[in-house]
Amino acid sequence: MSDTVLTGYRQSIDNIDAALVFMLAERFKITQAVGRYKAENELPPADPGREETQIARLRQLASDAQLDPEFSEKFLRFIIDEVIRHHEGFRG
């Protein structure tokens, strides 16, 4: 038996997942360029002040969007940690 309502929901979820993957790919392309720039200019791979500002900003956006701010912070922290790992790789 086919459930067209469920199928429609799943298609929308699949589209959103695809958009998230492409957006993350674009984000990482930019952060790779930032990492190279930092390495070339002898800047530290991490910027704790910016990280705190971004986390606070994302928590507020999440709250405004009725998304759990704790989840959004964990998600951003995961991304930030991965970006820093990449930036450290540019240092040699």
Side-chain angles (χ1 to χ4, degrees):
M1 179 180 282
S2 173
D3 187 333
T4 57
V5 172
L6 184 58
T7 298
Y9 289 152
R10 287 178 173 166
Q11 287 173 341
S12 290
I13 290 168
D14 291 349
N15 289 344
I16 293 165
D17 288 346
L20 286 169
V21 167
F22 281 101
M23 291 183 76
L24 284 170
E26 286 302 308
R27 189 184 195 288
F28 276 96
K29 286 178 191 174
I30 294 166
T31 60
Q32 292 287 331
V34 168
R36 284 189 294 276
Y37 178 85
K38 285 181 171 184
E40 290 165 3
N41 291 280
E42 299 181 8
L43 298 170
D47 184 343
R50 171 139 170 93
E51 293 166 26
E52 286 179 28
T53 300
Q54 288 298 95
I55 288 171
R57 182 177 152 271
L58 192 68
R59 286 182 66 92
Q60 184 60 57
L61 288 170
S63 181
D64 293 346
Q66 299 178 347
L67 178 67
D68 180 6
E70 291 296 320
F71 169 77
S72 67
E73 182 174 344
K74 288 177 186 175
F75 181 72
L76 185 59
R77 175 50 56 197
F78 175 78
I79 291 171
I80 288 170
D81 290 346
E82 187 66 12
V83 166
I84 291 169
R85 188 179 70 77
H86 288 177
H87 288 187
E88 288 170 345
F90 285 118
R91 300 185 77 75

